[in-house]
Amino acid sequence: MPELRRVPVNGVELNVALAGSGPAVLLLHGFPHTWELWTDIMADLSGRYRVIAPDLRGFGASSQAASGYDAGTLAEDAAALLTTLGVTSAAVMGIDAGTPPAVLLALRRPGLVRRLVVMEALLGRLPGAEDFLAGGPPWWFGFHSAAPGLAETVLEGHEAAYVDWFLNAGTLGDGVRPALRDAFVRAYTGRQALSRAFSYYRALPESAVQIEQAVTTSRLTVPTMALGARPVGAALERQLRPITDDLTGHVIEDCGHIIPLHRPHALLALLRPFLAGGDARAA
């Protein structure tokens, strides 16, 4: 069982799960998840790595935050967390909402990131995702970011059913283990918890600008792996291809959006050799 620690960084306190020893691996979750998204991945990797899995600011058991849900601030949170823990080099992995800050961290602090793994997300308005977006962005993007307070008002009291929809859709109907499902529901229950989660979506335009500005002056120089499933597929890889020096892409078949919980063994089969390639640079 991972050790849970509260770590003050960048004006907030992050709830952080820590396990294992060795080269550092930082895991950044998405919506509607907490650090527990990585439970199966941590159990495996902690035999060789020091695995660090925070609840993002305002999510899960991390402290409430009135602002800072843009990708740039989340990347600063991640950098500060690694520094506070004494980590000078980490493999960084992000899914969904955790992907844009992971990419910005690697663009801004390549000396801190030895390997980058990103999955099932889009990077703002970067070219490459036109096919995926042909019918418009996913419906919840607009719902979460429309009139402030609307989504919270509609969903308050119905959080479990809403979270269940994402968990079932994200595993192609298989669902997740009851204990994990209950943990996610608790994390997103209540008007304030919903508001903080939706603040991420409301910051997406700012995050998109940050990404566009970053790639005008920098490239991803660290070895990078882009993973897709359903629904994103290869869209993220196509966005990354023009701005990345060393990119590997995979689409995991018969896998839903929540790759770490739906197909953890397939994910680990890709992660183990990729992460091992960077062990010599680890700290």
Side-chain angles (χ1 to χ4, degrees):
M1 186 67 183
E3 171 197 357
L4 293 179
R5 188 186 305 177
R6 296 192 70 80
V7 181
V9 298
N10 204 21
V12 295
E13 276 194 350
L14 298 183
N15 178 59
V16 184
L18 301 162
S21 60
V25 178
L26 175 67
L27 308 176
L28 304 178
H29 68 81
F31 172 90
H33 319 130
T34 66
W35 73 265
E36 288 165 286
L37 169 76
W38 304 106
T39 298
D40 297 333
I41 306 306
M42 292 186 77
D44 184 279
L45 294 184
S46 62
R48 182 171 183 178
Y49 297 96
R50 181 187 185 190
V51 188
I52 303 163
D55 287 338
L56 301 182
R57 76 158 51 209
F59 288 71
S62 289
S63 62
Q64 300 181 15
S67 61
Y69 294 93
D70 58 281
T73 302
L74 295 175
E76 291 171 8
D77 289 350
L81 173 61
L82 293 175
T83 298
T84 301
L85 294 176
V87 175
T88 58
S89 173
V92 177
M93 195 179 316
I95 187 171
D96 191 76
T99 286
V103 169
L104 275 180
L105 181 63
L107 284 166
R108 294 174 173 179
R109 301 282 297 276
L112 185 59
V113 179
R114 72 175 183 275
R115 299 238 146 184
L116 177 67
V117 181
V118 286
M119 46 189 127
E120 277 297 287
L122 296 183
L123 293 172
R125 297 181 289 262
L126 295 188
E130 292 80 8
D131 290 346
F132 177 79
L133 295 171
W139 62 264
W140 57 91
F141 279 55
F143 177 52
H144 292 172
S145 61
L150 175 62
E152 296 92 315
T153 299
V154 171
L155 292 172
E156 191 171 14
H158 305 281
E159 296 93 340
Y162 196 62
V163 169
D164 281 341
W165 186 90
F166 285 96
L167 298 181
N168 289 326
T171 55
L172 306 183
D174 290 342
V176 302
R177 299 190 294 276
L180 290 175
R181 177 265 183 190
D182 292 346
F184 296 150
V185 169
R186 285 194 302 271
Y188 290 87
T189 293
R191 188 180 185 88
Q192 293 305 313
L194 290 171
S195 181
R196 294 192 297 274
F198 299 156
S199 291
Y200 166 81
Y201 291 88
R202 291 162 187 162
L204 284 175
E206 181 181 0
S207 298
V209 171
Q210 292 168 343
I211 292 167
E212 289 170 351
Q213 291 175 339
V215 300
T216 62
T217 58
S218 303
R219 291 180 57 80
L220 280 172
T221 57
V222 302
T224 299
M225 183 162 64
L227 302 178
R230 291 168 57 183
V232 177
L236 177 59
E237 179 188 351
R238 290 194 295 269
Q239 287 187 304
L240 287 168
R241 183 67 61 186
I243 63 167
T244 308
D245 291 345
D246 180 357
L247 178 63
T248 304
H250 299 278
V251 175
I252 301 176
E253 300 298 327
D254 191 31
C255 180
H257 177 68
I258 315 174
I259 297 172
L261 289 179
H262 194 211
R263 296 288 182 256
H265 298 299
L267 175 56
L268 285 164
L270 295 170
L271 288 179
R272 291 186 195 109
F274 183 77
L275 294 178
D279 284 357
R281 292 180 55 204

